[in-house]
Amino acid sequence: QLAVAVNRMLDEGLLERWRQRLHETRWRQYDADDLHVQNVRAFEDVAVDGVVVLVFVNAAFFDDGFVQNLVCSMQMRGVTNWLLVAVDDTAAARARSMYTARHVHWQPDYWRGMSTHALRDTWQATPEFLTLMHKRSMFLYRVVLQTSLTVVLSDADTVWLADPLQHLPVARSECDLYASNDRGTRARPLGGDAGGLA
């Protein structure tokens, strides 16, 4: 449904106007070529029933053991449709050395200049963190547009105590986005009949 809404926005020229405003801001150093996701077949190959779980990782997430814990918890729950999206070359090398190639996506030209270090200062977002958030959002947007997949985003510093995919009504919902917080409350719909994102 998100892809349909985005296509409608494209037809109405809304995204073009947004893109122009974006280029007038601090993000103008990125052009459209930087925002194209290559090898979308990798997302489709790992998907199960049209659902893929994306986890964006940099080298610091491996140093802290976050990625290893998350992947282990997903494997213990029988979740196989996850894909690590490396945002720096060190993370890509570490991911490829630990997991099969089908579970790692690395596009060096897209993530050019990303930090291998932790991307946040204490309680404050660094410029590198803000750049990552922008590029990650655009990456997700492109994956949704370039595939027909349902995309679930999981933070790398989480552990899955159960398979949440069984509890997300993504296939039956008219909503474009479900969100939950760190307090363990149930996912709530945003958009569609629930109001919010259209």
Coordinates of all heavy atoms in Angstrom, one line a residue, residues 77-122:
R77 N 14.7 -18.3 16.8 CA 13.2 -18.3 16.5 C 12.8 -18.8 15.2 O 11.6 -18.7 14.8 CB 12.7 -16.8 16.7 CG 12.8 -16.1 18.0 CD 12.9 -16.8 19.2 NE 13.2 -16.3 20.5 CZ 14.3 -16.5 21.1 NH1 15.3 -17.0 20.5 NH2 14.4 -16.2 22.4
G78 N 13.8 -19.3 14.4 CA 13.5 -19.8 13.1 C 13.2 -18.7 12.0 O 12.7 -19.0 10.9
V79 N 13.6 -17.5 12.3 CA 13.5 -16.4 11.3 C 14.7 -16.5 10.3 O 15.8 -16.4 10.7 CB 13.4 -15.0 12.0 CG1 13.4 -13.9 11.0 CG2 12.3 -15.0 13.0
T80 N 14.4 -16.6 9.1 CA 15.4 -16.8 8.0 C 15.4 -15.6 7.0 O 16.3 -15.6 6.2 CB 15.3 -18.1 7.3 OG1 14.0 -18.1 6.6 CG2 15.4 -19.3 8.2
N81 N 14.4 -14.7 7.1 CA 14.3 -13.7 6.0 C 14.9 -12.4 6.4 O 14.3 -11.3 6.1 CB 12.8 -13.6 5.7 CG 11.9 -13.3 6.9 OD1 12.2 -13.6 8.0 ND2 10.8 -12.6 6.6
W82 N 16.0 -12.4 7.0 CA 16.7 -11.2 7.5 C 17.9 -10.9 6.5 O 18.5 -11.8 5.9 CB 17.2 -11.3 8.9 CG 18.1 -12.6 9.2 CD1 17.6 -13.8 9.6 CD2 19.5 -12.7 9.0 NE1 18.6 -14.7 9.7 CE2 19.8 -14.0 9.4 CE3 20.5 -11.8 8.7 CZ2 21.1 -14.5 9.4 CZ3 21.8 -12.3 8.7 CH2 22.1 -13.7 9.0
L83 N 18.2 -9.6 6.4 CA 19.3 -9.2 5.5 C 20.0 -8.0 6.2 O 19.4 -7.0 6.6 CB 18.7 -8.7 4.2 CG 19.7 -8.3 3.1 CD1 20.4 -9.5 2.6 CD2 19.0 -7.6 1.9
L84 N 21.3 -8.2 6.4 CA 22.1 -7.2 7.0 C 22.5 -6.2 5.9 O 23.1 -6.6 4.9 CB 23.4 -7.7 7.7 CG 23.2 -8.8 8.8 CD1 24.5 -9.3 9.2 CD2 22.4 -8.2 9.9
V85 N 22.2 -4.9 6.1 CA 22.6 -3.9 5.1 C 23.8 -3.2 5.7 O 23.7 -2.4 6.7 CB 21.5 -2.9 4.8 CG1 21.9 -1.8 3.8 CG2 20.2 -3.6 4.3
A86 N 25.0 -3.5 5.2 CA 26.2 -2.9 5.7 C 26.3 -1.5 5.2 O 26.1 -1.2 4.1 CB 27.4 -3.7 5.2
V87 N 26.7 -0.6 6.1 CA 26.9 0.9 5.8 C 28.3 1.3 5.7 O 28.6 2.5 5.5 CB 26.0 1.8 6.7 CG1 24.5 1.4 6.6 CG2 26.5 1.8 8.1
D88 N 29.3 0.4 5.9 CA 30.7 0.7 5.7 C 31.4 -0.6 5.3 O 30.9 -1.7 5.5 CB 31.3 1.4 7.0 CG 31.3 0.5 8.2 OD1 32.0 -0.5 8.2 OD2 30.6 0.8 9.2
D89 N 32.6 -0.4 4.8 CA 33.3 -1.6 4.2 C 33.7 -2.6 5.3 O 33.8 -3.8 5.1 CB 34.5 -1.2 3.3 CG 35.4 -0.2 4.0 OD1 35.2 0.2 5.1 OD2 36.5 0.1 3.4
T90 N 34.1 -2.1 6.5 CA 34.5 -3.0 7.6 C 33.3 -3.8 8.0 O 33.4 -5.0 8.2 CB 35.0 -2.1 8.8 OG1 36.1 -1.3 8.3 CG2 35.5 -3.0 9.9
A91 N 32.1 -3.2 8.1 CA 30.9 -4.0 8.5 C 30.6 -5.0 7.4 O 30.2 -6.1 7.7 CB 29.7 -3.0 8.7
A92 N 30.7 -4.6 6.1 CA 30.5 -5.6 5.0 C 31.4 -6.8 5.1 O 31.0 -7.9 5.0 CB 30.7 -4.9 3.7
A93 N 32.7 -6.5 5.4 CA 33.7 -7.6 5.5 C 33.4 -8.5 6.7 O 33.4 -9.7 6.6 CB 35.1 -7.0 5.6
R94 N 33.0 -7.9 7.8 CA 32.7 -8.7 9.0 C 31.4 -9.5 8.8 O 31.4 -10.7 9.2 CB 32.5 -7.8 10.2 CG 33.7 -6.9 10.7 CD 34.7 -7.6 11.6 NE 34.1 -8.0 12.9 CZ 34.0 -7.3 14.0 NH1 34.4 -6.0 14.0 NH2 33.6 -7.9 15.1
A95 N 30.4 -8.9 8.2 CA 29.2 -9.6 7.9 C 29.4 -10.8 7.0 O 28.9 -11.9 7.2 CB 28.1 -8.7 7.4
R96 N 30.2 -10.6 6.0 CA 30.4 -11.6 5.0 C 31.3 -12.8 5.6 O 31.2 -13.9 5.2 CB 31.1 -11.1 3.8 CG 30.2 -10.3 2.9 CD 30.9 -9.7 1.7 NE 29.9 -9.0 0.8 CZ 30.2 -8.0 0.0 NH1 31.5 -7.6 -0.1 NH2 29.3 -7.5 -0.8
S97 N 32.1 -12.4 6.5 CA 32.9 -13.5 7.2 C 32.1 -14.3 8.2 O 32.5 -15.4 8.5 CB 34.2 -12.9 7.9 OG 33.8 -12.2 9.0
M98 N 31.0 -13.8 8.7 CA 30.3 -14.5 9.7 C 29.0 -15.1 9.2 O 28.5 -16.1 9.8 CB 29.9 -13.5 10.8 CG 31.1 -12.8 11.5 SD 30.6 -11.5 12.6 CE 30.3 -12.5 14.1
Y99 N 28.4 -14.6 8.1 CA 27.1 -15.1 7.6 C 27.2 -15.3 6.1 O 28.1 -14.8 5.4 CB 26.0 -14.0 7.9 CG 26.0 -13.6 9.4 CD1 26.5 -12.4 9.8 CD2 25.6 -14.6 10.4 CE1 26.5 -12.0 11.1 CE2 25.7 -14.2 11.7 CZ 26.1 -13.0 12.1 OH 26.1 -12.6 13.4
T100 N 26.2 -16.1 5.6 CA 26.2 -16.4 4.2 C 26.0 -15.1 3.4 O 25.3 -14.2 3.8 CB 25.2 -17.4 3.8 OG1 23.9 -16.9 4.2 CG2 25.4 -18.7 4.6
A101 N 26.5 -15.1 2.2 CA 26.4 -13.9 1.3 C 24.9 -13.5 1.1 O 24.6 -12.3 0.9 CB 27.1 -14.2 0.0
R102 N 24.0 -14.5 1.1 CA 22.6 -14.1 0.8 C 22.0 -13.2 1.9 O 21.0 -12.6 1.8 CB 21.7 -15.4 0.6 CG 21.4 -16.1 1.8 CD 20.6 -17.4 1.5 NE 19.3 -17.2 1.0 CZ 18.1 -17.3 1.7 NH1 18.2 -17.5 3.0 NH2 17.0 -17.1 1.2
H103 N 22.7 -13.2 3.1 CA 22.2 -12.4 4.2 C 22.9 -11.1 4.4 O 22.7 -10.4 5.4 CB 22.2 -13.2 5.5 CG 21.2 -14.3 5.6 ND1 19.9 -14.0 5.8 CD2 21.3 -15.6 5.5 CE1 19.2 -15.2 5.8 NE2 20.1 -16.1 5.7
V104 N 23.7 -10.7 3.3 CA 24.5 -9.4 3.4 C 24.3 -8.6 2.2 O 24.4 -9.1 1.1 CB 26.0 -9.7 3.6 CG1 26.8 -8.4 3.7 CG2 26.2 -10.6 4.9
H105 N 23.9 -7.3 2.3 CA 23.9 -6.4 1.2 C 24.9 -5.3 1.4 O 24.9 -4.7 2.5 CB 22.4 -5.8 1.1 CG 22.3 -5.0 -0.2 ND1 22.6 -3.7 -0.2 CD2 21.8 -5.4 -1.4 CE1 22.3 -3.2 -1.4 NE2 21.8 -4.2 -2.2
W106 N 25.7 -5.1 0.4 CA 26.7 -4.0 0.5 C 26.8 -3.3 -0.8 O 27.0 -3.9 -1.9 CB 28.1 -4.7 0.8 CG 29.3 -3.8 0.8 CD1 30.4 -4.0 0.1 CD2 29.4 -2.5 1.4 NE1 31.3 -3.0 0.3 CE2 30.7 -2.0 1.1 CE3 28.6 -1.6 2.2 CZ2 31.2 -0.8 1.5 CZ3 29.1 -0.4 2.6 CH2 30.4 0.0 2.2
Q107 N 26.6 -2.0 -0.7 CA 26.6 -1.1 -1.9 C 27.5 0.0 -1.6 O 27.1 1.1 -1.1 CB 25.2 -0.7 -2.2 CG 25.1 0.1 -3.5 CD 23.6 0.5 -3.8 OE1 22.7 -0.3 -3.5 NE2 23.4 1.5 -4.6
P108 N 28.8 -0.1 -1.9 CA 29.8 0.9 -1.4 C 29.5 2.3 -1.9 O 29.7 3.2 -1.2 CB 31.1 0.3 -1.9 CG 30.8 -0.9 -2.7 CD 29.4 -1.2 -2.6
D109 N 29.1 2.4 -3.2 CA 28.9 3.8 -3.7 C 27.7 4.5 -3.0 O 27.8 5.7 -2.8 CB 28.7 3.8 -5.2 CG 27.5 2.9 -5.6 OD1 27.2 1.9 -4.9 OD2 26.9 3.2 -6.7
Y110 N 26.7 3.7 -2.5 CA 25.6 4.4 -1.8 C 26.0 4.9 -0.4 O 25.6 5.9 0.0 CB 24.4 3.3 -1.7 CG 23.2 4.0 -1.1 CD1 22.2 4.5 -1.9 CD2 23.0 4.1 0.3 CE1 21.1 5.1 -1.4 CE2 21.9 4.7 0.8 CZ 20.9 5.2 0.0 OH 19.8 5.7 0.5
W111 N 26.8 4.1 0.3 CA 27.2 4.4 1.6 C 28.5 5.1 1.7 O 29.1 5.2 2.8 CB 27.2 3.1 2.5 CG 25.9 2.4 2.5 CD1 25.5 1.3 1.8 CD2 24.7 2.9 3.2 NE1 24.2 1.0 2.0 CE2 23.7 1.9 2.8 CE3 24.4 3.9 4.0 CZ2 22.4 2.1 3.4 CZ3 23.1 4.0 4.5 CH2 22.1 3.1 4.2
R112 N 29.0 5.6 0.7 CA 30.3 6.3 0.6 C 30.4 7.3 1.8 O 29.5 8.1 2.0 CB 30.5 7.0 -0.7 CG 31.7 7.7 -1.0 CD 31.8 8.4 -2.3 NE 30.6 9.0 -2.8 CZ 29.8 8.6 -3.8 NH1 30.1 7.5 -4.5 NH2 28.8 9.3 -4.2
G113 N 31.5 7.2 2.5 CA 31.8 8.2 3.5 C 31.2 7.9 4.9 O 31.4 8.7 5.8
M114 N 30.5 6.8 5.1 CA 29.9 6.5 6.3 C 31.0 6.0 7.4 O 31.9 5.4 7.0 CB 28.8 5.4 6.2 CG 27.6 5.8 5.4 SD 26.8 7.3 5.9 CE 26.7 7.2 7.6
S115 N 30.7 6.4 8.6 CA 31.7 6.1 9.7 C 31.7 4.7 10.1 O 30.6 4.0 10.2 CB 31.3 7.0 10.9 OG 32.1 6.7 12.0
T116 N 32.8 4.1 10.4 CA 32.9 2.8 11.0 C 32.8 2.8 12.5 O 32.7 1.8 13.1 CB 34.3 2.1 10.6 OG1 35.3 2.9 11.1 CG2 34.4 1.9 9.1
H117 N 32.7 4.0 13.1 CA 32.7 4.2 14.5 C 31.2 4.3 15.0 O 30.3 4.4 14.1 CB 33.4 5.4 14.9 CG 34.8 5.4 14.5 ND1 35.8 4.5 14.9 CD2 35.5 6.1 13.5 CE1 36.9 4.7 14.3 NE2 36.8 5.7 13.4
A118 N 31.0 4.3 16.2 CA 29.7 4.5 16.8 C 29.1 5.8 16.3 O 29.9 6.8 16.2 CB 29.7 4.4 18.3
L119 N 27.9 5.8 15.9 CA 27.4 7.0 15.2 C 26.6 8.0 16.1 O 26.0 8.9 15.6 CB 26.4 6.6 14.0 CG 27.2 5.9 12.9 CD1 26.2 5.3 11.9 CD2 28.1 6.8 12.2
R120 N 26.7 7.8 17.4 CA 26.0 8.7 18.3 C 26.9 9.1 19.4 O 27.7 8.3 20.0 CB 24.8 8.1 18.9 CG 23.5 8.1 18.1 CD 22.4 7.9 19.0 NE 21.4 7.0 18.3 CZ 20.1 7.1 18.4 NH1 19.6 8.1 19.2 NH2 19.3 6.3 17.8
D121 N 26.8 10.4 19.7 CA 27.4 10.9 21.0 C 26.4 10.7 22.1 O 25.3 10.4 21.8 CB 27.8 12.4 20.9 CG 28.9 12.7 19.9 OD1 29.8 11.8 19.8 OD2 29.0 13.7 19.3
T122 N 26.8 10.8 23.3 CA 25.9 10.6 24.4 C 24.8 11.6 24.3 O 25.0 12.8 24.3 CB 26.7 10.8 25.7 OG1 27.8 9.9 25.7 CG2 25.8 10.5 26.9

